[in-house]
Amino acid sequence: MSKITVVYALIIGFLLDLCFGDPKTLPHPVVAIGWFISFCEKHLRKILPKTKKGELFGGAIMVVVVASVSYLIPSFILYILGTVHPLLALLGEGFMCFQILAAKSLKDESMNVYNKLKEGDLPLARSAVARIVGRDTASLSAVGVTKAAVETVAENTNDGVVAPMLFIALGGARLGFFYKAVNTMDSMTGYKNERYISFGKTAARLDDICNYLPSRLSAVMMIIAAFLLRYNYKNAIKIFIRDRHNHSSPNSAQTESVCAGALDVMLAGDAYYFGRLVQKPTIGDSIKPIDADDIIKANRLLYVTAFLSLLFCIALRLTAIKLFLGAII
């Protein structure tokens, strides 16, 4: 498959995602990756010692196996499609890129939260936000629900859109699926609780490494998006510089800080996870009270950031091709 094909496949996948999001009637490979992660965890825990070292070793094995399989299966499928016809391989990779990206799904899920808040149905708003966040939502206020929705849109602008696009640009859909596998493992096992503090450590560290550069690229693109949308981009820069490390993860607060600054709101702070209060620093200043309309504004930031990042990834891929050709000619 030619190097330029990845550019076309990324554009196809991006446009399909904008149009269709995550079709509920189609099986999704990320769901399969999640099942495989659970399968590996279950069987590794059975055969390895229930000690810190045993669980750490088991988690490392899981990361190697799941990430490798997630890379090799799409590689094999694309190879088979390429032997039939290059156009079939292009369409196949475009469809894979569509499955990897999640801009519309993120927007749809967060807008479902927005709609329930506007209807005044707090219990349903809590249920809706529970679909996209890891914290406990049963006792959240309307403000808490809104903050959770805005935060997840901000954070997943990187995890669900920009980072996957960057990995696709660097290595095609197969590398995109590698990233999704790492990110899914972190989402499922990267908790600092008794069950996963050792078992999920390798997945969490690898996710931190994979997202280090993409999260910072996402932040820069989001600042530009804030400028284009005429949001408070100056405050976005200020809060980004000040609060981008206000998170236990080295990456999550990068885009959250930009979003908080651009919207003039305060995000993060203490939250309950699995019934336990986790103390977390706040991000941003409460220049104005957060409200449901900030979910719409966060989604606008998401979409403009996604378009800017697509252009960046295309330019990155084309530049890499040009440098490659210059080196061999």
Side-chain angles (χ1 to χ4, degrees):
M1 184 177 294
S2 68
K3 294 180 181 294
I4 194 73
T5 300
V6 173
V7 173
Y8 296 134
L10 178 56
I11 294 171
I12 290 170
F14 186 82
L15 294 175
L16 286 174
D17 177 56
L18 289 185
C19 293
F20 302 107
D22 180 12
K24 305 302 181 184
T25 55
L26 291 178
H28 202 288
V30 175
V31 175
I33 290 172
W35 174 87
F36 190 46
I37 292 168
S38 297
F39 175 86
C40 289
E41 178 186 354
K42 177 182 177 182
H43 289 279
L44 285 168
R45 286 187 182 277
K46 282 183 180 180
I47 62 176
L48 291 171
K50 292 177 175 57
T51 62
K52 182 178 179 179
K53 287 185 178 180
E55 292 195 352
L56 186 63
F57 183 59
I61 293 175
M62 178 193 70
V63 167
V64 172
V65 171
V66 173
S68 298
V69 170
S70 299
Y71 180 87
L72 291 172
I73 288 179
S75 298
F76 177 73
I77 293 172
L78 290 174
Y79 171 77
I80 295 298
L81 292 176
T83 60
V84 177
H85 197 281
L87 180 58
L88 197 58
L90 168 61
L91 295 176
E93 186 151 22
F95 187 76
M96 288 181 182
C97 292
F98 161 49
Q99 294 179 307
I100 292 168
L101 301 176
K104 188 173 188 298
S105 296
L106 181 58
K107 187 263 291 184
D108 289 346
E109 291 289 350
S110 61
M111 286 305 295
N112 188 32
V113 178
Y114 168 83
N115 291 331
K116 299 307 177 187
L117 287 170
K118 282 297 187 179
E119 292 167 6
D121 196 331
L122 183 56
L124 282 182
R126 289 168 176 161
S127 298
V129 82
R131 292 167 53 88
I132 53 176
V133 300
R135 73 193 65 180
D136 298 344
T137 63
S139 60
L140 287 180
S141 64
V143 169
V145 169
T146 304
K147 282 177 60 178
V150 171
E151 286 169 28
T152 200
V153 170
E155 180 179 355
N156 284 290
T157 296
N158 175 69
D159 293 6
V161 185
V162 179
M165 281 201 292
L166 187 57
F167 274 80
I168 291 168
L170 293 174
R174 66 200 75 191
L175 198 62
F177 273 118
F178 169 87
Y179 170 80
K180 293 302 290 185
V182 172
N183 193 242
T184 305
M185 282 188 283
D186 177 59
S187 297
M188 294 178 64
T189 68
Y191 297 102
K192 294 180 179 179
N193 56 25
E194 185 177 352
R195 179 177 176 82
Y196 289 117
I197 188 67
S198 297
F199 190 86
K201 188 172 184 178
T202 303
R205 292 293 178 268
L206 183 56
D207 184 73
D208 287 344
I209 293 169
C210 287
N211 278 301
Y212 189 85
L213 290 177
S215 65
R216 284 147 182 82
L217 171 66
S218 299
V220 172
M221 293 299 172
M222 190 175 284
I223 289 171
I224 299 172
F227 170 76
L228 294 174
L229 288 166
R230 297 185 179 181
Y231 292 171
N232 194 345
Y233 73 94
K234 291 182 180 179
N235 195 45
I237 295 171
K238 171 190 169 183
I239 301 301
F240 169 68
I241 293 171
R242 192 191 74 189
D243 293 349
R244 68 187 186 278
H245 297 304
N246 284 9
H247 200 285
S248 57
S249 162
N251 305 315
S252 295
Q254 302 293 322
T255 47
E256 283 188 40
S257 60
V258 175
C259 184
L263 302 185
D264 292 328
V265 299
M266 181 181 288
L267 299 176
D270 299 350
Y272 282 89
Y273 292 84
F274 304 103
R276 183 172 66 90
L277 178 65
V278 177
Q279 294 183 327
K280 301 192 297 182
T282 58
I283 297 172
D285 296 324
S286 188
I287 297 173
K288 73 172 190 64
I290 193 167
D291 60 48
D293 288 337
D294 288 312
I295 298 174
I296 295 178
K297 293 178 182 177
N299 278 312
R300 288 173 182 160
L301 278 174
L302 159 67
Y303 268 61
V304 177
T305 301
F307 275 108
L308 292 171
S309 299
L310 175 66
L311 295 177
F312 176 87
C313 288
I314 291 172
L316 177 67
R317 183 74 184 184
L318 294 177
T319 301
I321 294 169
K322 185 176 179 179
L323 291 174
F324 174 76
L325 291 175
I328 63 175
I329 293 175

